[in-house]
């Protein structure tokens, strides 16, 4: 059970969307100046509570721009690949208070591959048990399935097809428009101790890797932090992003502001904070890029017998940059029928086969969506 307590009086229950991920009601809105606490109970009955966090206001982002930088990223981030777009913002820092800032980014890119099956094939309809055709095909019915069919290796019976023991994976294109959602992991902070009341000009807040030559949409969020939250994130930043030097601080236990109710000295790792948000949608057209994208930095596999036209280029013969950037391999399509001559056969074959290989639906998740994001340009 997960709850948010407002001003020590109102309790707002959160609902679980997927395992371990909770969401507040869609009509809930935080308000500047109000106090919030997180409270949750584990499956063993252990209860945790955060300290109160008063929601602070945050000034708006007034301008945003991007510049291509071939040496932006650390060489350790993407196996030595360093090209990215640096994003810069302008904002007016208030003069009447000490402010602490944090920035986050989220990237949407068009995705053309929606499902992968290891040691199986994608099936729109449920495969009928113990029904086979010509000792070569598993037979599907009419009940919707929409998932990978993965039969056990070997032969399930005299009339059954033989399933090879080897390891393989097939990738399936998207049935409808689909967008991949990629999150920035770097902790980007700022303390206005020496610039209080002055404009924040060309403050770098994001580094968007050059995954693919296609355009993308970037959401940049500007948050305010309390002094305690800033210190926590600063220590976390030092331990995770600035490691390896002689001047680095030795790692310490990062106990945040969430504690066990029955034993307050027991602290959870993590920090609950509340902030107003300034959000900007930025269209990253990538027209100023030079050189190869990260997704094109691997050799393309040579053509294979049975390669067929896919949703973005040709299966097995052209690189899909975003797919490689996310999976560190090229997409591999299920070979299409007819399986004649030197054409490659699928490892597992389904009947009827007139729609092979099928396209897969774009499923809504934290990393993928079939809904066009606000600000996307066609």
């Amino acid at each position: 059970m997960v709850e948010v307590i407002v001003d020590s009086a109102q309790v707002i229950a959160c609902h679980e969307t997927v395992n371990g991920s909770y969401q507040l009601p869609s009509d809930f809105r935080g308000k500047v100046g109000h106090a919030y606490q997180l409270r949750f109970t584990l499956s063993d009955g252990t209860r945790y509570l955060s300290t109160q966090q008063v929601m602070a206001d945050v000034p708006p982002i007034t301008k945003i721009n991007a510049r291509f930088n071939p040496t932006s990223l650390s060489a350790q981030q993407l196996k030595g690949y360093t090209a990215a777009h640096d994003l810069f913002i302008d904002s007016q820092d208030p003069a009447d208070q000490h402010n602490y800032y944090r920035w986050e980014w989220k990237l949407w890119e068009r995705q053309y591959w929606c499902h992968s099956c290891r040691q199986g094939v994608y099936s729109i309809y449920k495969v009928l048990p113990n029904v086979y055709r010509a000792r070569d095909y598993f037979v599907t019915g009419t009940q919707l399935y929409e998932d990978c069919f993965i039969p056990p290796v070997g032969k399930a019976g005299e009339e059954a097809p033989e399933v090879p023991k080897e390891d393989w994976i097939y990738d399936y294109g998207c049935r409808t428009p689909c967008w991949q959602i990629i999150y920035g992991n770097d902790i980007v902070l700022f303390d206005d101790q020496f610039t209080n009341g002055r404009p924040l000009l060309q403050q770098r807040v994001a580094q968007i890797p050059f995954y693919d030559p296609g355009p993308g949409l970037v959401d940049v969020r500007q948050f305010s932090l309390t002094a305690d939250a800033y210190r926590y994130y600063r220590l976390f930043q030092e331990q995770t992003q600035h490691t390896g030097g002689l001047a680095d601080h030795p790692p310490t236990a990062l106990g945040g502001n969430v504690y066990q109710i029955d034993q307050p000295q027991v602290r959870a790792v993590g920090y609950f904070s509340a902030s107003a948000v300034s959000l900007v949608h930025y269209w990253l057209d990538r027209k100023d890029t030079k050189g190869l994208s990260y997704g094109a930095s691997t050799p393309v596999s040579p053509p294979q017998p049975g390669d067929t036209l896919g949703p973005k280029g040709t299966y097995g013969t052209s690189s899909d940059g975003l797919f490689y950037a996310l999976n560190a391999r090229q997409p591999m399509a299920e070979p299409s029928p007819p399986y004649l001559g030197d054409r490659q056969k699928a490892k597992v074959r389904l009947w009827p086969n007139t729609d092979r290989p099928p396209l897969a639906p774009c499923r809504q998740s934290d990393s993928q969506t079939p809904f066009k994001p606000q600000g996307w340009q066609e």
Side-chain angles (χ1 to χ4, degrees):
M1 181 176 64
V2 177
E3 300 168 322
V4 171
I5 304 171
V6 184
D7 295 330
S8 300
Q10 184 183 10
V11 177
I12 309 295
C14 303
H15 66 276
E16 192 171 18
T17 53
V18 295
N19 266 351
S21 181
Y22 290 83
Q23 185 173 305
L24 286 158
S26 59
D27 59 351
F28 175 81
R29 297 290 183 274
K31 296 180 180 178
V32 171
H34 289 258
Y36 298 89
Q37 288 174 280
L38 175 68
R39 183 171 66 189
F40 58 89
T41 304
L42 302 182
S43 57
D44 63 2
T46 307
R47 299 179 302 155
Y48 284 83
L49 182 69
S50 77
T51 58
Q52 275 196 338
Q53 297 290 295
V54 176
M55 180 175 286
D57 201 0
V58 67
I61 295 172
T62 56
K63 182 181 178 182
I64 185 168
N65 65 285
R67 290 199 294 269
F68 180 69
N69 182 354
T71 59
S72 175
L73 305 176
S74 162
Q76 287 74 43
Q77 188 168 337
L78 290 178
K79 301 178 181 178
Y81 187 84
T82 59
H85 277 89
D86 294 336
L87 265 63
F88 303 86
I89 63 99
D90 290 354
S91 187
Q92 177 60 56
D93 181 63
D96 58 348
Q97 56 188 306
H98 192 162
N99 294 96
Y100 303 90
Y101 298 93
R102 183 185 177 196
W103 291 276
E104 292 180 353
W105 62 265
K106 181 163 58 173
L107 170 69
W108 278 269
E109 295 213 26
R110 274 296 302 269
Q111 176 60 273
Y112 296 88
W113 303 89
C114 277
H115 210 92
S116 299
C117 295
R118 183 175 292 277
Q119 292 183 278
V121 294
Y122 192 84
S123 182
I124 296 175
Y125 299 102
K126 191 171 183 178
V127 175
L128 300 174
N130 305 316
V131 179
Y132 314 108
R133 178 184 172 88
R135 298 186 180 183
D136 202 33
Y137 294 92
F138 295 90
V139 178
T140 60
T142 57
Q143 182 180 350
L144 281 177
Y145 183 63
E146 295 287 10
D147 207 345
C148 296
F149 168 65
I150 306 174
V153 299
K155 287 176 69 72
E158 171 109 16
E159 301 298 317
E162 183 162 3
V163 179
K165 293 182 179 179
E166 64 193 89
D167 185 36
W168 77 87
I169 188 166
Y170 291 142
D171 304 299
Y172 296 87
C174 298
R175 193 177 302 164
T176 62
C178 191
W179 286 265
Q180 190 75 29
I181 307 171
I182 302 170
Y183 301 85
N185 295 316
D186 287 344
I187 298 172
V188 185
L189 306 169
F190 184 75
D191 176 357
D192 75 350
Q193 179 180 1
F194 301 110
T195 59
N196 186 40
R198 295 179 2 211
L200 296 178
L201 300 176
Q202 292 297 284
Q203 174 72 34
R204 189 174 77 169
V205 297
Q207 296 161 272
I208 312 297
F210 180 26
Y211 291 123
D212 185 90
L217 177 71
V218 186
D219 271 4
V220 175
R221 287 175 167 83
Q222 179 167 282
F223 302 90
S224 59
L225 295 175
T226 63
D228 285 344
Y230 175 82
R231 283 190 289 269
Y232 177 87
Y233 283 114
R234 186 70 178 175
L235 182 58
F236 192 76
Q237 180 189 59
E238 290 171 352
Q239 293 193 10
T240 57
Q241 294 173 207
H242 302 156
T243 57
L246 293 175
D248 286 343
H249 295 287
T252 58
L254 287 175
N257 68 335
V258 179
Y259 58 90
Q260 191 172 318
I261 293 176
D262 297 332
Q263 300 182 67
Q265 72 277 13
V266 178
R267 298 262 169 167
V269 175
Y271 202 96
F272 173 75
S273 60
S275 171
V277 180
S278 177
L279 166 65
V280 173
H281 305 295
Y282 182 78
W283 183 246
L284 183 65
D285 60 29
R286 290 196 168 114
K287 291 181 179 179
D288 60 343
T289 57
K290 296 179 181 179
L292 292 176
S293 68
Y294 177 57
S297 63
T298 178
V300 178
S301 302
Q304 299 294 323
D307 284 341
T308 58
L309 186 65
K312 189 181 182 185
T314 303
Y315 286 146
T317 64
S318 74
S319 169
D320 185 290
L322 183 60
F323 185 94
Y324 175 79
L326 297 174
N327 299 280
R329 63 177 181 84
Q330 295 294 337
M332 298 292 294
E334 174 193 330
S336 64
Y339 307 124
L340 302 174
D342 63 350
R343 288 178 65 88
Q344 191 178 61
K345 285 187 176 183
K347 308 292 186 185
V348 171
R349 295 171 290 283
L350 301 185
W351 187 270
N353 65 358
T354 53
D355 64 346
R356 307 300 307 178
L359 298 176
C362 178
R363 293 193 171 101
Q364 178 68 36
S365 69
D366 287 342
S367 60
Q368 199 174 81
T369 180
F371 304 110
K372 183 167 71 172
Q374 184 179 354
W376 184 268
Q377 301 179 24
E378 294 296 347

